[in-house]
């Protein structure tokens, strides 16, 4: 009898140990992140929270066959200015903003067409979807293949400046903001795109001083003793695209994108045109490009020698870029000003 009890206790111990081990192993197995568009239940939740443009005090307009636009958006005091310390200046450029009483981290992405956040952050911050029905739009930018639902933040504070009726789309992705391939999880709560920047007359990224300056109605007057380059933004592009020379060849169109910690990203057809050697294949991270070498970059008096560049990876050439992309590394020793009032880009010494 004693031997049987001992055997039963041993069996119970082994059974309990096996259950604990199985629970531990299952708990350690991290499920793959959800991918794809928002589920129907989440879209229904957005629709239930939606308000009409009239209820939100804005208007929706459409010019011919163009996208829907909000009237009375980005309202601020005429002539207002602000200055904010950057949390990160080497790409993606990040800074603190306030929505309501909440201090959050925002990425400034000059190459992304619109501002976006994820559904959970939108609900927590009181960002209201625009309906009914919900309005969906497309995002454009380097390798941006996403859609978002139109939504509105009633107020956003950038430094001391209050801005009202700020459009912030709700990204139509289960993965949230990390669905933007260049953004790491928990790096930011929202992305402020080109639509936010162009609400100002000018925006200056002072990379050495790690500061952003924005003005609503001023005409930019660069200091001539510090001015290195003044170049026009190219017509036909909504985002800031300028002409650049690469190894004394060109000019080539290049998008300025403050979300990318790169020097220069060449589309493969441009690299082939310039007879640049093919980059060595690598498995470093889920990036759509490969490191290739260095080039000499010139922008109307602004010169960078030995600027590292990348080339679109072979697997991505079916979605290659129509232009080159200049990241933050190209300007890290200078002040970069995007003057939307006169459609000029100024590069200055600090």
């Amino acid at each position: 009898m004693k031997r049987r009890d001992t055997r039963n206790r041993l069996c119970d111990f082994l059974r309990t140990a096996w259950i604990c081990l199985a629970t531990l192993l299952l708990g350690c197995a991290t499920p793959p992140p959800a991918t794809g568009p928002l589920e129907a239940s989440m879209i229904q939740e957005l629709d239930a929270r939606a308000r009409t443009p009239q209820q939100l005090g804005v208007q929706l307009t459409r010019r011919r066959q163009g996208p829907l636009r909000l009237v009375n958006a980005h309202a601020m005091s005429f002539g207002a200015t602000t200055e904010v310390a950057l949390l990160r200046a080497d790409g993606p450029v990040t800074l603190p903003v306030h929505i309501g009483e909440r201090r959050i981290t925002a990425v400034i992405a000059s190459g992304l067409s619109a501002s976006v956040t994820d559904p959970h952050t939108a609900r927590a911050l009181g960002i209201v979807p625009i309906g009914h029905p919900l309005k969906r739009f497309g995002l454009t930018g380097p390798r941006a293949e996403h859609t978002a639902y139109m939504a509105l933040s009633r107020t956003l504070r950038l430094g001391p400046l209050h801005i009202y009726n700020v459009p912030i789309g709700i990204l139509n992705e289960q993965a949230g903001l990390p669905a933007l391939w260049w953004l790491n999880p928990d790096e930011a709560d929202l992305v402020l795109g080109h639509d936010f920047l162009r609400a100002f007359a000018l925006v200056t990224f002072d990379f050495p001083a790690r500061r952003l300056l924005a003005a609503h109605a001023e005409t930019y007057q660069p200091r001539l003793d510090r001015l290195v380059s003044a170049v026009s933004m190219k017509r036909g592009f909504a985002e800031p695209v300028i002409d650049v020379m690469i190894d004394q060849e060109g000019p080539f169109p290049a998008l300025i994108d403050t979300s990318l910690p790169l020097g220069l990203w060449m589309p493969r057809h441009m690299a082939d045109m310039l007879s640049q050697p093919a980059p060595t294949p690598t498995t470093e991270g889920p990036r759509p490009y490969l490191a290739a070498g260095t080039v000499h970059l010139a922008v109307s008096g602004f010169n960078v020698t030995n600027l590292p560049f990348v080339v679109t990876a072979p697997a991505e050439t079916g979605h290659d870029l129509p232009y080159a992309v200049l990241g933050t590394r190209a300007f890290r020793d200078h002040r970069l000003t995007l003057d939307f009032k006169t459609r000029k880009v100024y590069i200055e010494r600090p």
Side-chain angles (χ1 to χ4, degrees), residues 1 50 86-87 92 104 110 207 225 229 260 275 337:
M1 178 68 71
L86 300 179
L87 300 174
I104 59 175
S110 60
F207 290 105
D225 58 331
S229 178
L260 297 182
S275 301
T337 297

Side-chain angles (χ1 to χ4, degrees), residues 47-285:
D47 189 64
R49 292 200 304 113
R51 297 293 181 268
T52 65
Q54 291 76 16
Q55 289 174 315
L56 294 171
V58 294
Q59 296 178 4
L60 281 175
T61 63
R62 188 194 301 271
R63 291 183 179 178
R64 297 180 182 177
Q65 299 302 315
L68 284 170
R69 296 186 181 277
L70 281 173
V71 180
N72 299 332
H74 299 111
M76 67 186 89
S77 301
F78 182 80
T81 62
T82 190
E83 183 173 344
V84 186
L86 300 179
L87 300 174
R88 180 175 174 180
D90 57 350
V93 170
T94 61
L95 47 69
V97 301
H98 285 79
I99 292 184
E101 298 301 319
R102 290 276 299 274
R103 182 184 188 272
I104 59 175
T105 299
V107 167
I108 301 293
S110 60
L112 193 66
S113 60
S115 305
V116 288
T117 189
D118 63 83
H120 303 292
T121 302
R123 184 172 60 246
L125 296 176
I127 296 172
V128 183
I130 297 175
H132 301 276
L134 296 173
K135 315 296 183 185
R136 195 165 65 178
F137 64 92
L139 292 178
T140 60
R143 299 291 290 111
E145 300 175 354
H146 306 283
T147 59
Y149 292 97
M150 295 183 74
L152 197 72
S153 174
R154 301 311 303 269
T155 181
L156 181 148
R157 182 161 62 84
L158 181 65
L161 175 62
H162 286 82
I163 309 167
Y164 302 95
N165 292 344
V166 179
I168 299 176
I170 298 174
L171 195 61
N172 185 28
E173 293 285 349
Q174 294 185 54
L177 290 183
L180 302 172
W181 60 267
W182 41 266
L183 194 60
N184 295 322
D186 302 322
E187 193 164 25
D189 303 290
L190 62 86
V191 177
L192 296 174
H194 176 67
D195 65 330
F196 180 80
L197 295 179
R198 72 176 181 225
F200 295 92
L202 60 95
V203 178
T204 295
F205 297 88
D206 191 333
F207 290 105
R210 298 173 62 90
R211 301 194 72 79
L212 178 139
L213 302 92
H216 177 236
E218 290 185 6
T219 299
Y220 191 63
Q221 298 294 336
R223 285 184 50 174
L224 296 181
D225 58 331
R226 295 184 178 181
L227 182 63
V228 176
S229 178
V231 59
S232 296
M233 298 182 193
K234 288 184 67 65
R235 296 185 180 276
F237 296 91
E239 289 74 36
V241 175
I242 60 175
D243 279 331
V244 302
M245 302 291 289
I246 303 171
D247 286 342
Q248 299 181 339
E249 299 285 345
F252 300 105
L255 170 73
I256 298 173
D257 193 337
T258 54
S259 69
L260 297 182
L262 299 173
L264 175 71
W265 178 0
M266 281 192 212
R268 183 160 289 273
H269 69 270
M270 189 180 296
D272 293 340
M273 186 188 314
L274 294 171
S275 301
Q276 293 292 341
T280 303
T282 178
T283 57
E284 294 181 5

